[in-house]
Amino acid sequence: MPELTYLQAISSALRDELRADERVFLLGEDIGAFGGAFKVTHGFHEEFGADRVMDTPLAETAIIGTAVGAAVSGLRPVAEMQFADFIACGFDQLVNVAAKMHYRQGLAVPMVVRLPSGGGFSGGPFHSQNPEAWFMHSPGLKVVAPSTAEDAKGLLHAAIQDPNPVVFMEHKHLYRRVRGEVQDGIYTTPFKARIARRGENLTVITYGAMVPAALEATAELDGVEVLDLRSLTPLDVEAIVDSVSRCSKVVIVDEANATCAAGAQVSAVIAEHAFEMLDGPVKRIATPDVPIPFSPPLEAAVLPSVTRIREACDELLGY
Amino acid sequence: MPELTYLQAISSALRDELRADERVFLLGEDIGAFGGAFKVTHGFHEEFGADRVMDTPLAETAIIGTAVGAAVSGLRPVAEMQFADFIACGFDQLVNVAAKMHYRQGLAVPMVVRLPSGGGFSGGPFHSQNPEAWFMHSPGLKVVAPSTAEDAKGLLHAAIQDPNPVVFMEHKHLYRRVRGEVQDGIYTTPFKARIARRGENLTVITYGAMVPAALEATAELDGVEVLDLRSLTPLDVEAIVDSVSRCSKVVIVDEANATCAAGAQVSAVIAEHAFEMLDGPVKRIATPDVPIPFSPPLEAAVLPSVTRIREACDELLGY
Amino acid sequence: MLMMRGLEARALSLYKQGKVPGSFYDGYGQEAVSAGAAFAMAAEDRLCILHRDLAAHIVRGVEPARILAQYMGRASGITGGRDGNVHFGDRNRGCVGMVSMLPDMMCVANGLALAFKLRGQKAAALTFCGDGASSRGDFHEALNWAGVQRLGVIFVLENNQYAYSTPTSAQFAVDPVKRAETYGVRGVSVDGNDAEAMFAAVHEARTRAANGEGPTLVEAQTMRMHGHAAHDDMRYVPKELVEHWAARDPIKLQSKRLKELGVDLDALQRDVDAEIDAASQEALASPMPDPDTALDGVFCEGEATELADGLAPWSGWAHA
Amino acid sequence: MLMMRGLEARALSLYKQGKVPGSFYDGYGQEAVSAGAAFAMAAEDRLCILHRDLAAHIVRGVEPARILAQYMGRASGITGGRDGNVHFGDRNRGCVGMVSMLPDMMCVANGLALAFKLRGQKAAALTFCGDGASSRGDFHEALNWAGVQRLGVIFVLENNQYAYSTPTSAQFAVDPVKRAETYGVRGVSVDGNDAEAMFAAVHEARTRAANGEGPTLVEAQTMRMHGHAAHDDMRYVPKELVEHWAARDPIKLQSKRLKELGVDLDALQRDVDAEIDAASQEALASPMPDPDTALDGVFCEGEATELADGLAPWSGWAHA
Ligand SMILES: Cc1ncc(C[n+]2csc(CCOP(=O)(O)OP(=O)(O)O)c2C)c(N)n1
Ligand SMILES: Cc1ncc(C[n+]2csc(CCOP(=O)(O)OP(=O)(O)O)c2C)c(N)n1
Ligand SMILES: [Mg+2]
Ligand SMILES: [Mg+2]
């Protein structure tokens, strides 16, 4: 099996889908000849042409709306926002048009929106956001967030093959930092959680870029489980409850702003459905409710760090 | 003290602010001569003129963006979305421009966005939403949601006088159903929770239209407290923890879709900060993750009902 | 047009009887716009139809009984009670149901046209936009994209003088049809109360669209003759304006023409009335949706089935 | 212009030394646009300045040391390290810092102009928009609103031929300046590499705006002579295009004029260089922000203080 970076795994999924299914096409700003802001579609233009790797005007609303129209026509559009942050500009088309179509009209909207998200490299308030919770709170959208190269590919295949609109959160900070062995060809990863490391004393429930952070933070601790959610909608409540039942103590880690984040939902699920298994408060680590500052010392002060995760685990283990 | 409906209380706050502070002006679709879709600004046009009760083009993005510009210039714009649902069309200007301005640039944006929200009258998927959680997850915005006529006026005065962008959730279903004595003139209600009914056996934590529902559902139960949050950002964590500490059992009620809702955040706060006070799981009642259907039997099946609240309380009291 | 007028009148009376929940919108006096435009589209074309355009649904072949059931939130309505009165589109007739947010469907229509283009199909997409909705960004993003990619799409700008209570003078300084050519989109303006003029304009636009000659914006000049919705008495509209347009009623206009052609209009009206009576009975007999199904269908579980072709039995392209 | 070019060159070299975090954008070759436009604005006017328009900040009186500190994320930068390099505006100089989302500030500029109008003040607002950003809905909503309400606002359409890698041919079918008049907005097109032409066009627009004669869209035709950001080698731009515009460098052009007027350009350059050296030292000596303050200021706690006037020491309106 070849070793790929997280970014290469995403490229590989897109390439394989474009080759296998002529209904699939990509659209976004600068993804064609230029290969995309992060070079995810590097070389695609040559192989697949301008129609299937389509450069669009700078118009996020139109990108999402056009994708909806193409999807209900039987195509499989995969739209890229240049940065996840710009989805705010196409928000209405996504939450009102794409998300509600099947429930309202029985008309499936098989499309994917790729959102390069997350901070950690001085991107500042508009290039560092993790907006997944907005979409978890918008019925009709699926939301997935891989943390490994293998899952990045498998989840993207599954997302493209899914008959629903799927928001694909790809964390920019993992693009080139994370690599791993990735199966050749098309395979799908289910929208279910995965135990990244088994343990029995405490579980850290997290997703995306916080998975490697959690693994690092707890590497030397005894019996700490790390549950990688992978899918946020649907949320794998069973896996969460199972992990909590076995470990009895929970730390939830989120890179997004804390209030009403994915982590808040996980905590609420636990407080309702696994209360009796709990042996201590449900701790949360997240970015406080603040725009992500640009300057490195400020950014480092707000993003969840390996140290903060470790301290929270230590504290709870001693509870 | 005059008795006003919730709607009249909102009108009264707007009128008093327009009279008292020449910096205040209103803008929105059809709010001028027509008096607004719900007649909140009925008669204002005659008293204050077209400049201060400004009919705008059908352009939500521009409404929010224009309000931001006016606010940083020292005015006090109060923008109305015809229905809360349409804020999705002005989302980017609200969460990216208005919300982050003060943190990024030290420039205050004193504006209010009024969002007539909520379901219960066959408004269907686009006239029934409760989008407050999107804004709780957007740092830099305050979010308030009155449940009584008195608070509707007091919170709106406070919102207009606040130097920050405030999202004012006014529940359409309360407009004419709720009435109460309301103080004359300008007074401000703090962005803090209020105990709607004191109790000691169980606390129902809620806000907006679910406050009267919770009061009704628990009227005949013994010692059930109802905590009306009133403000969602800032969230009154102290009042929540205090109520939970005294009551030990909690039901959280939300009209919004459940996942990542305000109620999820409240639950997470409790699971983290009041875990030891809990005598049972933290129950949640909310609308499931579904667009709000139009047809009465379907809508009734998804919105939280008095019966469902009552059953949850009964169950937990017997825990 | 007769059917649209009759169905809406019936729906309004059902509304007044409390049988139509929510609010009620109609297109009284604008029937020629959607009837004329939809007639010009072929079965394989795709449409996103708006709230004043009921005739387009009828032309596509949607059964009157299902339309009345839709208004009443019945199980047999097009959306099975999930969405409200005019917010529907029959996917089996090549239609995508509108969302409330106007004019979002313009971007969706581009996507429909793009699919034709990418597949090399000679067909077109049609949607509508009000004078008011033209102020929104989606109007611009859609026109610009359609122009730069030369999509086979037709936008009908339904200029009915008002957006709720807002007259066009507070909506724009210049008639938006003028903008078309600045996007590389053909722009034409027609009498929206003249069904045949509408047909001709959209028919030509459709020919061009299907032949890869790009998009057209067709302005239909008309008048909203009822209030914005059933609750609105539109006292803000000058009486003379209403009178002026009342004299130009599209059905009267077309009736005169048909009479000259020897059509028996009374018989036609009787047929329509009978059909509406039957539809009304059928719809009233349809049950309300089962509350136990309220959570079904948020997600598609099986294979995604795409839009099917319309019936368009009277289409100008039926034998093309 | 010299100062902008010099400061950006210095910032770029600091970037290459790893002293500027994140990415780095500049306006090399476009200096005349923002310099010329900002010179035409009075101290009491308001500006939203974009990422290719550093000269406008300088004209407003923002100190070079604070600009370099801003690029480096230092505590003494305009935003104190909270926001990135070009995302700033000095509120004490009448400027609102841009957001990344382009061209959102067009709507904000309308609000600035609306405030003038409501207060009866004779002043104007200025903002910019790229050729690429013109495709977004905010462009449309802002122009339409400005046109219908006749706001005193000036939009400079900075047509530098590219939006990141996207040439204007993939962005629009017709030059967006043509759209101006279809909104009731005056539209003019000028040579954006000619500082004096820019000044004249914006000066006239500003006179009209302040006098209640409505908005203007000024297209500045220019060329982005560097990559989109420091990482971009812009190999997608044809060499001839770059050469064509290189011969039309705005600073060369203006230098020639000044020379004819007898200005000692070498001395000017020496002054600018000395100022930049001093600014650079000052900025480098400024500390990074204190991480303990990272959460401060999400909300305004005291009274809201509004925008203050700029210095605009060289403004064409300084003595007006
Ligand atoms: C984005 C958006 N904002 C507000 C509304 C509320 N609303 C419904 S119809 C309407 C007026 C629409 O006017 P126009 O586009 O001219 O269409 P008409 O109803 O006149 O056919 C308004 C403001 C809406 N549907 N969508
Ligand atoms: C809404 C939005 N989408 C995407 C981007 C990412 N982006 C940053 S600059 C840029 C190109 C902008 O082109 P143009 O408007 O022509 O301005 P220029 O950089 O050429 O001055 C893009 C796509 C953005 N800033 N805003
Ligand atoms: Mg209209
Ligand atoms: Mg450009």
Side-chain angles (χ1 to χ4, degrees):
Chain A
M1 290 202 287
E3 214 189 59
L4 300 183
T5 63
Y6 184 90
L7 185 140
Q8 287 165 336
I10 293 170
S11 300
S12 159
L14 294 173
R15 196 183 300 108
D16 288 352
E17 290 290 339
L18 282 164
R19 285 181 185 159
D21 185 347
E22 61 177 19
R23 299 172 304 174
V24 174
F25 75 105
L26 318 183
L27 70 169
E29 296 156 13
D30 307 295
I31 68 168
F34 188 67
F38 298 100
K39 299 291 166 194
V40 170
T41 52
H42 181 70
F44 281 40
H45 194 256
E46 289 77 356
E47 180 172 353
F48 304 106
D51 272 359
R52 299 190 68 203
V53 191
M54 186 182 294
D55 277 323
T56 68
L58 200 169
E60 284 74 12
T61 290
I63 291 173
I64 306 293
T66 305
V68 172
V72 298
S73 297
L75 298 180
R76 295 291 180 271
V78 181
E80 173 183 296
M81 296 286 107
Q82 202 157 79
F83 285 80
D85 311 67
F86 299 124
I87 192 60
C89 305
F91 194 76
D92 169 49
Q93 287 279 351
L94 186 57
V95 305
N96 283 322
V97 187
K100 302 192 171 96
M101 187 72 79
H102 190 265
Y103 183 75
R104 296 168 53 235
Q105 308 285 336
L107 182 59
V109 186
M111 64 183 268
V112 175
V113 183
R114 290 180 39 235
L115 298 187
S117 66
F121 49 91
S122 294
F126 304 113
H127 289 76
S128 308
Q129 294 176 81
N130 295 283
E132 51 272 14
W134 287 338
F135 306 114
M136 297 172 69
H137 192 60
S138 302
L141 299 176
K142 295 191 177 179
V143 185
V144 300
S147 75
T148 68
E150 193 189 348
D151 286 350
K153 182 163 157 77
L155 286 172
L156 187 47
H157 283 302
I160 295 173
Q161 293 172 24
D162 198 281
N164 296 288
V166 182
V167 177
F168 187 83
M169 307 298 313
E170 45 188 73
H171 200 291
K172 300 187 294 288
H173 208 43
L174 300 183
Y175 271 163
R176 295 180 172 87
R177 281 195 316 153
V178 158
R179 50 170 65 241
E181 295 205 335
V182 171
Q183 243 174 273
D184 259 333
I186 293 180
Y187 63 95
T188 59
T189 301
F191 291 178
K192 296 260 176 213
R194 131 193 115 88
I195 297 174
R197 186 204 299 124
R198 230 177 218 288
E200 58 288 326
N201 297 330
L202 181 152
T203 178
V204 180
I205 305 182
T206 184
Y207 62 94
M210 292 296 103
V211 174
L215 286 169
E216 185 185 336
T218 58
E220 286 155 29
L221 299 180
D222 195 32
V224 171
E225 175 151 317
V226 174
L227 186 71
D228 177 358
L229 293 169
R230 298 203 290 205
S231 170
L232 301 173
T233 304
L235 189 63
D236 193 342
V237 173
E238 208 178 312
I240 293 168
V241 171
D242 173 66
S243 182
V244 173
S245 305
R246 288 184 289 99
C247 301
S248 305
K249 292 180 175 177
V250 197
V251 173
I252 301 169
V253 189
D254 225 315
E255 190 183 296
N257 294 118
T259 294
C260 292
Q265 178 62 21
V266 171
S267 179
V269 163
I270 294 169
E272 182 154 12
H273 299 294
F275 171 74
E276 290 163 39
M277 324 297 175
L278 280 175
D279 241 11
V282 181
K283 281 225 163 255
R284 288 187 61 201
I285 308 274
T287 298
D289 294 327
V290 61
I292 310 305
F294 162 75
S295 191
L298 297 178
E299 186 180 26
V302 308
L303 294 183
S305 64
V306 167
T307 318
R308 262 174 78 206
I309 300 172
R310 162 106 199 209
E311 283 167 5
C313 292
D314 279 341
E315 205 181 307
L316 200 56
L317 283 169
Y319 183 87
Chain B
M1 288 199 290
E3 214 190 57
L4 300 183
T5 63
Y6 184 89
L7 186 140
Q8 287 165 336
I10 292 171
S11 299
S12 160
L14 294 173
R15 196 183 300 107
D16 287 352
E17 289 290 339
L18 282 164
R19 285 180 185 160
D21 185 347
E22 61 176 18
R23 299 172 305 174
V24 174
F25 75 105
L26 319 183
L27 70 170
E29 296 157 12
D30 307 295
I31 68 168
F34 188 66
F38 298 100
K39 300 290 167 195
V40 171
T41 52
H42 181 70
F44 281 41
H45 194 255
E46 289 76 357
E47 181 173 352
F48 304 106
D51 273 359
R52 298 190 69 200
V53 191
M54 186 182 293
D55 278 323
T56 68
L58 202 169
E60 283 75 10
T61 290
I63 291 173
I64 306 294
T66 305
V68 172
V72 298
S73 297
L75 298 180
R76 295 290 179 273
V78 181
E80 173 182 296
M81 296 286 106
Q82 203 157 79
F83 285 80
D85 311 68
F86 298 125
I87 192 61
C89 304
F91 194 76
D92 169 49
Q93 288 279 350
L94 186 56
V95 305
N96 283 322
V97 186
K100 301 192 172 97
M101 187 71 80
H102 190 263
Y103 183 76
R104 296 167 54 234
Q105 308 284 336
L107 182 60
V109 185
M111 64 184 269
V112 175
V113 183
R114 290 179 39 235
L115 298 187
S117 66
F121 49 92
S122 293
F126 304 113
H127 289 77
S128 309
Q129 295 176 79
N130 295 283
E132 51 272 14
W134 287 338
F135 306 114
M136 295 173 68
H137 192 60
S138 302
L141 299 176
K142 295 191 178 178
V143 185
V144 300
S147 74
T148 67
E150 192 190 349
D151 286 350
K153 183 163 157 76
L155 285 172
L156 187 47
H157 283 303
I160 295 173
Q161 293 172 25
D162 198 282
N164 296 288
V166 181
V167 178
F168 188 82
M169 307 297 312
E170 44 189 73
H171 200 290
K172 300 187 293 287
H173 208 43
L174 301 182
Y175 271 163
R176 293 179 175 88
R177 284 195 314 152
V178 157
R179 51 171 62 243
E181 296 206 333
V182 171
Q183 242 175 274
D184 260 334
I186 293 181
Y187 62 95
T188 59
T189 301
F191 291 178
K192 298 259 175 214
R194 132 192 115 90
I195 296 175
R197 188 206 296 124
R198 230 176 220 286
E200 58 287 325
N201 296 330
L202 182 152
T203 177
V204 180
I205 305 183
T206 187
Y207 62 94
M210 293 296 103
V211 173
L215 286 169
E216 185 185 338
T218 58
E220 287 155 28
L221 299 180
D222 194 32
V224 171
E225 175 150 318
V226 174
L227 185 71
D228 176 358
L229 292 169
R230 297 203 291 204
S231 171
L232 300 173
T233 304
L235 188 64
D236 193 343
V237 173
E238 209 178 313
I240 294 169
V241 171
D242 172 65
S243 182
V244 173
S245 306
R246 286 184 290 99
C247 301
S248 305
K249 293 180 174 177
V250 197
V251 173
I252 301 169
V253 189
D254 225 316
E255 189 183 297
N257 293 118
T259 294
C260 292
Q265 177 64 21
V266 171
S267 179
V269 162
I270 295 169
E272 182 155 11
H273 299 294
F275 171 74
E276 290 164 38
M277 324 297 174
L278 280 175
D279 240 12
V282 181
K283 281 225 164 258
R284 289 187 62 201
I285 308 273
T287 298
D289 295 327
V290 61
I292 310 305
F294 162 75
S295 191
L298 297 178
E299 186 180 26
V302 309
L303 294 183
S305 64
V306 167
T307 319
R308 261 175 79 207
I309 299 172
R310 163 106 196 207
E311 283 167 6
C313 292
D314 280 341
E315 205 181 307
L316 200 57
L317 283 168
Y319 183 87
Chain C
M1 290 199 285
L2 283 178
M3 181 58 85
M4 170 169 168
R5 184 161 295 183
L7 269 180
E8 288 188 341
R10 184 61 57 99
L12 184 58
S13 96
L14 290 166
Y15 175 79
K16 289 185 177 152
Q17 293 166 42
K19 296 222 161 72
V20 171
S23 36
F24 178 77
Y25 308 84
D26 70 13
Y28 185 92
Q30 300 176 222
E31 294 88 348
V33 177
S34 54
F39 259 108
M41 303 303 286
E44 63 271 26
D45 292 334
R46 299 286 178 258
L47 288 80
C48 308
I49 301 168
L50 298 197
H51 55 300
R52 311 279 179 215
D53 308 315
L54 188 67
H57 291 292
I58 301 166
V59 172
R60 292 305 283 181
V62 180
E63 303 80 356
R66 295 195 70 202
I67 293 173
L68 289 176
Q70 167 70 19
Y71 280 116
M72 295 190 286
R74 305 288 168 127
S76 67
I78 308 291
T79 68
R82 282 172 156 59
D83 207 341
N85 44 47
V86 274
H87 294 123
F88 71 92
D90 188 341
R91 63 197 163 88
N92 295 314
R93 302 283 186 263
C95 298
V96 184
M98 69 175 282
V99 299
S100 246
M101 290 70 193
L102 299 167
D104 285 20
M105 302 314 286
M106 289 178 73
C107 293
V108 176
N110 273 349
L112 300 170
L114 179 65
F116 287 136
K117 186 178 164 189
L118 293 181
R119 288 166 161 163
Q121 285 168 288
K122 286 195 157 213
L126 170 75
T127 192
F128 300 83
C129 172
D131 44 285
S134 76
S135 296
R136 268 202 60 231
D138 295 46
F139 174 87
H140 170 77
E141 296 197 13
L143 278 170
N144 183 55
W145 185 309
V148 76
Q149 295 197 350
R150 294 189 68 67
L151 298 178
V153 60
I154 304 151
F155 305 112
V156 174
L157 175 65
E158 198 155 5
N159 185 346
N160 64 1
Q161 316 304 325
Y162 282 85
Y164 210 153
S165 75
T166 307
T168 52
S169 59
Q171 199 69 248
F172 42 71
V174 178
D175 188 324
V177 73
K178 296 262 163 65
R179 292 174 196 157
E181 66 183 35
T182 70
Y183 292 107
V185 172
R186 209 170 128 258
V188 295
S189 194
V190 300
D191 179 353
N193 283 21
D194 180 341
E196 297 189 5
M198 274 307 301
F199 175 84
V202 175
H203 196 272
E204 187 186 349
R206 198 268 169 194
T207 309
R208 299 175 58 97
N211 288 335
E213 292 168 64
T216 304
L217 179 70
V218 178
E219 178 182 44
Q221 288 175 322
T222 183
M223 175 71 198
R224 199 191 71 207
M225 296 297 286
H226 277 173
H228 170 66
H231 68 271
D232 172 18
D233 62 11
M234 64 174 205
R235 68 180 63 179
Y236 47 82
V237 178
K239 238 174 89 183
E240 311 80 67
L241 194 61
V242 179
E243 282 162 8
H244 168 77
W245 286 93
R248 308 199 59 264
D249 181 81
I251 292 188
K252 275 196 219 141
L253 202 80
Q254 193 62 15
S255 298
K256 211 173 128 205
R257 284 194 187 127
L258 293 177
K259 214 177 215 161
E260 280 163 17
L261 291 174
V263 175
D264 181 347
L265 287 167
D266 294 333
L268 197 63
Q269 184 69 55
R270 274 194 305 275
D271 286 356
V272 166
D273 289 345
E275 215 182 316
I276 292 172
D277 283 339
S280 176
Q281 295 205 341
E282 187 182 332
L284 282 164
S286 165
M288 290 305 266
D290 177 357
D292 287 347
T293 65
L295 303 184
D296 298 349
V298 176
F299 292 108
C300 171
E301 304 290 349
E303 269 290 294
T305 45
E306 64 197 72
L307 293 168
D309 290 349
L311 294 182
W314 310 285
S315 156
W317 298 94
H319 314 288
Chain D
M1 292 200 283
L2 283 178
M3 180 59 83
M4 169 169 168
R5 183 161 295 183
L7 269 180
E8 289 189 341
R10 183 61 57 98
L12 184 58
S13 97
L14 289 166
Y15 176 78
K16 289 187 176 149
Q17 293 164 41
K19 296 222 162 71
V20 171
S23 37
F24 178 77
Y25 308 84
D26 69 14
Y28 185 92
Q30 301 176 223
E31 293 88 348
V33 178
S34 54
F39 259 108
M41 303 302 285
E44 63 272 25
D45 293 332
R46 299 287 178 256
L47 288 80
C48 308
I49 301 167
L50 298 197
H51 55 301
R52 312 279 178 214
D53 309 314
L54 188 67
H57 291 292
I58 301 167
V59 172
R60 293 303 284 182
V62 180
E63 304 81 354
R66 293 195 73 200
I67 294 173
L68 289 176
Q70 167 70 17
Y71 280 116
M72 294 191 286
R74 305 288 169 124
S76 66
I78 306 291
T79 69
R82 280 169 158 61
D83 206 341
N85 43 48
V86 273
H87 294 123
F88 71 92
D90 188 341
R91 65 196 160 89
N92 295 314
R93 303 282 186 263
C95 298
V96 184
M98 67 176 283
V99 299
S100 247
M101 290 70 194
L102 298 168
D104 285 19
M105 302 314 286
M106 288 178 75
C107 294
V108 176
N110 272 351
L112 299 170
L114 179 66
F116 287 137
K117 186 178 165 192
L118 293 180
R119 288 168 162 161
Q121 285 168 289
K122 288 194 155 212
L126 170 76
T127 191
F128 300 83
C129 172
D131 44 284
S134 76
S135 295
R136 271 203 57 233
D138 295 46
F139 174 87
H140 171 77
E141 295 197 12
L143 278 169
N144 183 56
W145 185 308
V148 76
Q149 294 197 348
R150 295 191 67 68
L151 298 179
V153 59
I154 304 150
F155 304 112
V156 174
L157 174 65
E158 198 155 4
N159 185 344
N160 63 3
Q161 316 303 326
Y162 282 84
Y164 209 152
S165 76
T166 306
T168 52
S169 60
Q171 199 71 248
F172 42 70
V174 177
D175 188 324
V177 73
K178 296 261 163 64
R179 293 175 195 156
E181 67 184 36
T182 70
Y183 292 106
V185 172
R186 212 171 125 255
V188 295
S189 195
V190 299
D191 179 354
N193 282 20
D194 179 342
E196 296 189 4
M198 275 307 299
F199 175 84
V202 175
H203 196 270
E204 188 186 348
R206 198 267 167 194
T207 308
R208 299 175 57 99
N211 288 335
E213 293 167 63
T216 303
L217 178 71
V218 178
E219 177 182 46
Q221 288 177 320
T222 182
M223 176 71 198
R224 198 191 71 207
M225 296 296 286
H226 276 171
H228 170 65
H231 68 270
D232 172 17
D233 61 13
M234 63 174 204
R235 68 180 65 180
Y236 47 82
V237 178
K239 238 173 92 184
E240 313 78 67
L241 193 61
V242 179
E243 280 161 9
H244 167 78
W245 285 92
R248 307 198 59 265
D249 181 81
I251 292 190
K252 272 196 219 140
L253 201 79
Q254 194 61 14
S255 297
K256 211 172 130 207
R257 284 194 186 125
L258 292 177
K259 214 177 216 158
E260 279 162 18
L261 292 174
V263 176
D264 182 347
L265 287 166
D266 294 335
L268 198 63
Q269 185 68 55
R270 272 194 307 275
D271 284 357
V272 166
D273 289 346
E275 216 182 317
I276 293 172
D277 282 341
S280 173
Q281 295 205 342
E282 189 182 331
L284 281 164
S286 165
M288 290 305 264
D290 176 359
D292 287 347
T293 66
L295 302 184
D296 297 350
V298 175
F299 292 108
C300 171
E301 304 290 348
E303 270 290 295
T305 45
E306 64 196 73
L307 294 166
D309 291 348
L311 293 183
W314 309 285
S315 154
W317 298 93
H319 313 287

